[in-house]
Amino acid sequence: MDWSANPADKLRIDEVGLEYACHGPAPGDAPTLVLLHEGLGCVAMWRDFPAQLAARTGLGVLVYSRQGYGGSDPVTRPRPLDFQTREALEVLPAILDAAGIRQAILLGHSDGATIAAIHAGSVAGHRIRGVILEAPHFFTEPGGLASITEARAAYESGDLKQKLARYHADPDGAFLGWNDAWLDPGFATWNVAEVIDYIRVPILAIQGRQDQYGTLAQIEEIESRAYCPVDTLILDCRHEPHRECADRVLDEVAEFCSRLLRIEAADVIPA
């Protein structure tokens, strides 16, 4: 794996090529923050946030585009309704293995936060040391589904398709793969909140009060179910705190990571 901001080739996972970028120290030199993007995101849409994270935390940062997004290989539609669980249990472990990551902190946004939570609550082992969940979804909400319906109208008759085409090689695959799944009638009862019960590492949960895709009920679900330490950061913004309140999010993430590293160091000091 080419640990650089502009790798020459895609990362290949089960014959699927995934676009990726790396910042900061390689996995053999420091723990790694692994960034998992939102339902319409990709490597480029994180902008300079990964590089800023590496600079602020001193950790390595791996960011990749899931299949069907950014410059990654296209995806076959329709996506299965359990696509987030499949990403968490099948694809993400293979990526961590391929990158040689032995100590990871998962930072997921929106669908990526859900994938991070499912992985942390389902995959046994000590590789995951903490999870940062930004605007996570554990169950559907009427307001969120209404906003996803509005996004469909913006894609079909507005300029959303043109905007997404700047970032995604296959904008139809990126948008419709996400939108069709969320608006499928069978998805209305989707609920993966049970995974919270099994997370055994510290959690930082971040949410905007004006998030158009989810309410504070998602954060309250974490607080009411988690058996591990939970820090929350509620901000006056919409669905993208890491862009809308970048400095505050960087501060909180850096402090969360620093605290995890201090705990790790204390754990290995001989009595």
Side-chain angles (χ1 to χ4, degrees):
M1 187 175 185
D2 180 5
W3 192 268
S4 71
N6 297 289
D9 297 309
K10 296 178 183 179
L11 177 65
R12 303 216 61 89
I13 302 295
D14 292 333
E15 300 184 359
V16 174
L18 300 179
E19 171 188 42
Y20 75 99
C22 306
H23 303 269
D29 300 320
T32 306
L33 275 159
V34 180
L35 272 55
L36 307 169
H37 63 73
E38 63 177 309
L40 294 178
C42 64
V43 168
M45 291 181 73
W46 285 106
R47 301 188 181 182
D48 63 348
F49 186 68
Q52 289 191 59
L53 274 179
R56 291 287 294 273
T57 64
L59 303 179
V61 176
L62 168 64
V63 55
Y64 68 95
S65 300
R66 296 192 294 275
Q67 185 180 3
Y69 294 97
S72 292
D73 287 356
V75 71
T76 301
R77 303 197 321 263
R79 286 186 180 273
L81 299 189
D82 63 346
F83 68 95
Q84 294 169 93
T85 297
R86 295 189 187 201
E87 287 285 344
L89 303 186
E90 299 171 11
V91 182
L92 181 54
I95 290 172
L96 298 177
D97 287 344
I101 295 173
R102 288 177 285 182
Q103 297 181 66
I105 299 169
L106 302 179
L107 190 163
H109 173 221
S110 193
D111 281 11
T114 304
I115 292 167
I118 294 172
H119 180 90
S122 304
V123 178
H126 301 287
R127 176 154 53 187
I128 306 304
R129 305 305 176 92
V131 287
I132 302 165
L133 307 177
E134 180 188 12
H137 306 294
F138 297 102
F139 45 84
T140 57
E141 296 182 273
L145 293 176
S147 292
I148 293 171
T149 301
E150 292 174 7
R152 181 63 168 253
Y155 190 81
E156 292 178 342
S157 58
D159 62 355
L160 181 56
K161 182 172 183 176
Q162 289 71 33
K163 290 180 179 179
L164 291 177
R166 301 172 192 167
Y167 299 99
H168 303 287
D170 177 14
D172 284 343
F175 181 83
L176 296 175
W178 165 77
N179 195 264
D180 286 349
W182 272 91
L183 295 182
D184 188 291
F187 204 75
T189 59
W190 172 82
N191 189 315
V192 294
E194 183 183 15
V195 300
I196 301 168
D197 301 344
Y198 301 99
I199 297 176
R200 292 294 183 267
V201 293
I203 298 171
L204 171 59
I206 304 171
Q207 182 82 18
R209 287 189 179 90
Q210 292 81 40
D211 191 327
Q212 67 271 36
Y213 291 109
T215 70
L216 293 178
Q218 306 287 340
I219 304 302
E220 292 163 0
E221 192 78 9
I222 298 172
E223 294 176 316
S224 66
R225 301 186 73 132
Y227 290 91
C228 54
V230 177
D231 292 334
T232 60
L233 176 63
I234 309 302
L235 299 166
D236 287 317
C237 64
R238 286 163 61 84
H239 189 58
E240 296 183 302
H242 70 276
R243 289 181 58 185
E244 300 168 64
C245 303
D247 288 341
R248 184 68 187 282
V249 171
L250 283 167
D251 286 344
E252 294 291 333
V253 170
E255 171 56 30
F256 178 77
C257 293
S258 176
R259 191 163 64 247
L260 284 180
L261 294 180
R262 291 196 299 269
I263 292 170
E264 292 275 340
D267 285 345
V268 299
I269 294 175

